[in-house]
Amino acid sequence: MRKGLLFGLAALAASASLPLAGPAVAAEEGPALPKLEWSFDGPFGTYDRQSLQRGLQVYREVCSSCHGLKYVAFRNLADLGYSEDEIKAFAAEYTVTDGPDDDGEMFERPGAASDYFPAPFPNEKAAAAANSGAVPPDLSLMAKARAGGADHIHGILTGYEDLVPDAVLQSIFEHETMKNEEKYEADLAEYNDKLEAYNDKVEAGEQARRPLEPVQPQPIESIEDLGLAEVSNFNAYFPGYGIAMAQPLYEDGVAYADGTPATIDQMAADVSHFLMWAAEPKLEDRKGAGIKVLIFLVVFTGVLYAAKRKVWKDVH
Amino acid sequence: MSGFQTNSRVIKWIEYRMPVFSFLNHSIGAGYPAPKNLSYMWNFGSLAGFTLVIMIVTGILLAMQYTAHVDYAFDSVERIMRDVNFGWLLRYIHMNGASFFFIVVYIHMFRGLYYGSYKAPRELLWILGVVILLLMMMTAFMGYVLPWGQMSFWGAKVITNLFSAVPIFGEGIVTWLWGGFTVDNPTLNRFYALHYLMPFVIVAVVVLHIWALHQFGSNNPLGIDPKGPQDKIPFHPYYTAKDSFGMGVFLIVFAAVIFYLPNYMGHPDNYIPADPLATPAHIVPEWYFLPFYAILRAIPDKLLGVIAMFGSIAVLFVLPWLDRSPVKSGRFRPIFRIFFVLLAIDVVVLGFVGANPPEGAWLITGQIATFWYFLHFLVVLPLLGVFERPKPLPTSISEPVLKGGGSLAGAPAKPMEKA
């Protein structure tokens, strides 16, 4: 007899457990992001120190010329497995503006461990001016600020025209062609209704404006047909397919210190891994504590259940 | 004194001057008799109080590190996440705690809806509960603005803009709410002040809610009044033990989300700092507001949409007078039960509609679901009170099985709740 209530509550619970934000995020639907296996996935996930270090190298040698990392301090690089001396040496390679000194002048000094990664541009206007109007976003939180997280970053870095498989391109063309056709059908139906109203008015001798007939769309067969803005580059995984950033990674663009071959996919995966760490540096602490907390709670709840059973055994 | 006894001289000394111990004993102790057949559905009231305490404690600790200024709010939250000792834990507890608070309260409310807990003589108890819900919604809404991410900013803008639908005074009200001509630093400051204040207002209304509860005690799954001492057991140790176990189960689920899916119920856009010049593609409120958001957008007219949204909660205030059936528990109301399930489904459907853009099939679904929501409260419930033929009620909680007289064949009341 309680089925009704239980069912209703189950439905409520289901509503809470479904990714409600999903459909809204997926509104700019494109091809599905390729899902990589990340070492930080899952309840026991940890960061791969080697990959983080390689990712830092990619960030420093490629991304950092345009993208900031303002929430990450050099001291945080200890998480990547660097020693204090290594971090000090690393920080000293950067020049930081400090001050004002006792004479009221700003001055430059080598970076210290307590400094944050310096911004690539002095201000947003400078960033926009140097990048044909598009401000390169700060990357500190990128892995949490986009649906898909690290997969999204990896997807963007490998989503350029020459890098994506033909099948993905074809699926985009088909999808966009279908969308255009659907829109055309809807426009045509609206046009026919308007035309009818127009004809009625003309017959009645009223003033009316002839509606414009929609143009039948051409099937999309190439990237040119997508009609991206002049300054945009095609990217299969960017909303709307047009991204201001030119393809940043090229084969062997970075000479990895550990000798790992610097393929585009490798560099993309490493820098995505690194940016996941930058966005969620406490992930290992969190997952490590989680398992202890859960074990404690399960045992403790078991004790509470036993206590409850004992207290209630004479009630009937 | 409800038979409060002690041998401790200290307690006796205090008790003589201020009877706080007998008060506690009477409130949540052995001196508070509760129906003996309360199911686990009755855990969610104390669970809601527990969640409120978690939110206040974590909130106060976060407030010590947070900066309510448009230039520093986002940075200060990131500092909490990165540099404050266990700041990430505090913030994830507080952020997900809001969601869990709503989950608990929504279950608590649907339990009340099913078992008729709002009916005489518990109307005020129910109304105070709806007041708490409204206060919670305001608190949660203003709290979501504080991290000053994209959804914070645009959510604040969209929701405060709703007041512009008020005829004549609309624009003035919105400017007054914002403290300026757009959502800006004054808005953030006042939201922070109110977000800190409101939980304590909630605590005050919770006290009233519990006060009203103690006048007649809890309703129960059978919806009939306890007939005597054999139908009751003391709150302590029976329900303190049962509630503690429920709390343990709750904490397991809560911890699993905090430690393994902390951003699952959030929106990625809120990790982008607020930018008044860049509107997100889709502005979506937090999941617990989605059904109400769907009702708002189901109606093409702005003012009517706002009225419908507030009406969807206002209707709960008059619920005790809309449902005229003398039988409380849905167990003995065969037709009501079907409609109850339909309502639950309807609210879930509204939630999904609220998460999607109001176009095409989503818009129509939203309109049907909105219509059904109001139809349920304004038409179905009043009519059921007249036309529904309830099943025979058990004579008492201790003897729920009817002996003869049950005209409806095969309708024995359910045996008592398993312990």
Side-chain angles (χ1 to χ4, degrees):
Chain A
M1 290 180 100
R2 273 188 308 173
K3 252 188 295 174
L5 181 61
L6 288 177
F7 182 77
L9 293 175
L12 274 180
S15 80
S17 66
L18 282 165
L20 282 160
V25 175
E28 284 285 347
E29 72 290 270
L33 276 174
K35 296 253 183 288
L36 273 66
E37 297 233 336
W38 301 101
S39 67
F40 51 77
D41 284 341
F44 301 102
T46 52
Y47 290 120
D48 171 353
R49 297 289 179 283
Q50 293 308 309
S51 184
L52 288 181
Q53 294 195 0
R54 289 194 299 266
L56 170 66
Q57 194 180 347
V58 175
Y59 168 74
R60 186 155 77 133
E61 292 177 21
V62 184
C63 318
S64 68
S65 55
C66 298
H67 293 278
L69 199 63
K70 65 175 179 177
Y71 294 120
V72 180
F74 297 122
R75 62 183 159 84
N76 297 137
L77 296 177
D79 288 4
L80 273 56
Y82 291 112
S83 70
E84 207 176 315
D85 289 336
E86 283 172 313
I87 290 170
K88 278 183 184 162
F90 184 92
E93 288 173 31
Y94 288 82
T95 306
V96 181
T97 307
D98 203 345
D101 61 14
D102 291 344
D103 298 323
E105 303 292 332
M106 302 301 280
F107 60 92
E108 293 195 330
R109 60 163 174 80
S114 57
D115 286 316
Y116 286 75
F117 273 88
F121 299 101
N123 54 58
E124 258 194 23
K125 294 269 187 211
N131 292 282
S132 40
V135 180
D138 188 90
L139 295 181
S140 310
L141 283 164
M142 192 52 75
K144 286 204 288 189
R146 299 289 184 276
D151 285 326
H152 171 85
I153 299 171
H154 174 267
I156 293 290
L157 292 174
T158 56
Y160 287 88
E161 184 173 350
D162 299 334
L163 307 181
V164 282
D166 249 0
V168 173
L169 282 181
Q170 287 311 321
S171 79
I172 291 173
F173 297 157
E174 277 166 29
H175 180 74
E176 289 303 306
T177 304
M178 208 174 70
K179 242 167 72 179
N180 283 349
E181 273 168 12
E182 274 169 18
K183 185 174 181 310
Y184 174 69
E185 307 260 314
D187 288 350
L188 201 63
E190 197 186 329
Y191 165 74
N192 285 331
D193 289 348
K194 280 187 181 163
L195 192 66
E196 216 170 285
Y198 166 77
N199 287 335
D200 289 350
K201 279 193 177 171
V202 170
E203 265 175 47
E206 283 174 49
Q207 284 265 327
R209 205 148 160 207
R210 195 184 169 84
L212 282 173
E213 193 176 341
V215 187
Q216 179 149 20
Q218 294 297 310
I220 289 170
E221 284 157 346
S222 71
I223 286 169
E224 284 73 45
D225 291 346
L226 286 169
L228 304 178
E230 192 77 10
V231 292
S232 293
N233 301 282
F234 171 82
N235 194 304
Y237 304 110
F238 196 76
Y241 310 114
I243 188 169
M245 173 171 72
Q247 183 181 327
L249 297 178
Y250 288 91
E251 200 82 15
D252 293 323
V254 166
Y256 276 138
D258 65 0
T260 306
T263 62
I264 290 175
D265 201 68
Q266 180 70 43
M267 289 185 284
D270 286 338
V271 82
S272 304
H273 202 114
F274 170 72
L275 290 177
M276 186 68 224
W277 165 79
E280 189 75 1
K282 305 292 183 187
L283 177 139
E284 292 180 348
D285 288 357
R286 171 160 63 76
K287 292 188 174 181
I291 196 72
K292 291 177 204 150
V293 169
L294 279 179
I295 289 171
F296 167 77
L297 281 176
V298 167
V299 172
F300 185 58
T301 305
V303 172
L304 288 173
Y305 183 64
K308 188 252 162 196
R309 284 283 296 256
K310 190 158 189 290
V311 167
W312 278 75
K313 71 175 189 303
D314 55 342
V315 179
H316 279 295
Chain B
M1 295 285 276
S2 320
F4 173 71
Q5 301 289 335
T6 178
N7 291 322
S8 161
R9 290 177 63 186
V10 177
I11 289 179
K12 275 182 181 160
W13 188 92
I14 298 172
E15 178 70 18
Y16 178 69
R17 285 153 183 84
M18 188 173 77
V20 61
F21 295 101
S22 56
F23 173 76
L24 282 178
N25 182 54
H26 178 67
S27 304
I28 51 167
Y32 173 42
K36 61 195 254 181
N37 62 335
L38 299 185
S39 69
Y40 277 106
M41 281 298 140
W42 265 259
N43 276 39
F44 289 90
S46 65
L47 216 43
F50 177 62
T51 317
L52 177 60
V53 172
I54 292 179
M55 293 304 280
I56 290 178
V57 171
T58 52
I60 290 172
L61 291 171
L62 287 170
M64 295 175 187
Q65 307 287 348
Y66 170 77
T67 310
H69 187 285
V70 289
D71 292 338
Y72 305 109
F74 193 90
D75 289 358
S76 73
V77 172
E78 272 313 306
R79 209 182 74 79
I80 290 170
M81 293 295 289
R82 290 159 191 271
D83 291 337
V84 173
N85 290 335
F86 291 100
W88 58 270
L89 180 58
L90 285 177
R91 194 219 168 197
Y92 278 152
I93 290 175
H94 199 73
M95 176 176 141
N96 288 291
S99 284
F100 274 82
F101 201 178
F102 276 96
I103 292 172
V104 167
V105 164
Y106 284 157
I107 294 175
H108 186 59
M109 290 178 69
F110 269 91
R111 188 271 286 155
L113 285 174
Y114 184 73
Y115 292 110
S117 300
Y118 47 83
K119 290 187 184 180
R122 295 186 182 83
E123 300 97 322
L124 269 183
L125 173 60
W126 171 262
I127 287 171
L128 287 166
V130 182
V131 170
I132 295 173
L133 175 70
L134 274 178
L135 291 171
M136 274 177 66
M137 289 175 142
M138 289 161 73
T139 312
F141 162 67
M142 288 188 286
Y144 193 60
V145 177
L146 303 185
W148 209 242
Q150 272 290 68
M151 278 298 156
S152 297
F153 179 88
W154 289 98
K157 191 138 187 167
V158 168
I159 300 302
T160 47
N161 245 323
L162 293 179
F163 291 92
S164 70
V166 175
I168 307 169
F169 307 108
E171 293 300 324
I173 293 174
V174 173
T175 308
W176 177 72
L177 285 174
W178 286 342
F181 298 102
T182 182
V183 173
D184 207 338
N185 202 47
T187 325
L188 179 60
N189 269 300
R190 61 190 56 191
F191 276 22
Y192 180 47
L194 293 172
H195 182 71
Y196 204 119
L197 168 71
M198 302 276 283
F200 299 99
V201 179
I202 294 178
V203 168
V205 184
V206 166
V207 169
L208 298 179
H209 189 69
I210 296 171
W211 188 359
L213 169 71
H214 277 72
Q215 185 69 7
F216 294 99
S218 295
N219 183 28
N220 64 76
L222 295 175
I224 56 173
D225 292 333
K227 294 283 188 307
Q230 75 279 8
D231 288 345
K232 292 185 171 182
I233 47 176
F235 189 83
H236 179 73
Y238 293 100
Y239 287 111
T240 41
K242 194 167 179 172
D243 283 358
S244 299
F245 168 60
M247 226 163 263
V249 175
F250 168 80
L251 281 176
I252 290 172
V253 181
F254 191 26
V257 172
I258 290 167
F259 289 102
Y260 296 108
L261 297 162
N263 291 306
Y264 184 71
M265 289 185 275
H267 196 289
D269 276 23
N270 228 28
Y271 281 110
I272 305 171
D275 181 354
L277 300 177
T279 320
H282 298 283
I283 301 172
V284 214
E286 291 276 82
W287 70 265
Y288 38 80
F289 290 137
L290 289 174
F292 304 101
Y293 195 51
I295 291 176
L296 168 76
R297 298 193 301 178
I299 294 165
D301 182 83
K302 190 172 175 184
L303 179 59
L304 291 179
V306 173
I307 291 173
M309 183 177 73
F310 284 111
S312 64
I313 294 176
V315 77
L316 297 175
F317 280 106
V318 289
L319 175 62
W321 296 275
L322 291 172
D323 181 0
R324 305 308 297 260
S325 170
V327 176
K328 288 198 189 96
S329 175
R331 277 192 195 175
F332 306 106
R333 303 184 59 189
I335 306 174
F336 167 84
R337 267 168 51 197
I338 297 166
F339 282 103
F340 173 83
V341 173
L342 287 178
L343 178 74
I345 294 171
D346 188 62
V347 171
V348 172
V349 168
L350 280 171
F352 279 95
V353 171
N356 285 283
E359 305 157 352
W362 285 115
L363 181 64
I364 294 163
T365 314
Q367 287 169 339
I368 295 169
T370 301
F371 178 73
W372 184 261
Y373 182 90
F374 286 104
L375 191 80
H376 176 89
F377 287 106
L378 298 175
V379 178
V380 173
L381 282 185
L383 287 182
L384 279 184
V386 178
F387 294 107
E388 185 184 40
R389 194 159 162 220
K391 292 180 189 173
L393 293 174
T395 49
S396 83
I397 291 174
S398 293
E399 298 170 65
V401 183
L402 276 176
K403 296 188 177 95
S407 53
L408 293 173
K414 188 172 174 79
M416 229 184 351
E417 281 307 304
K418 80 162 162 55

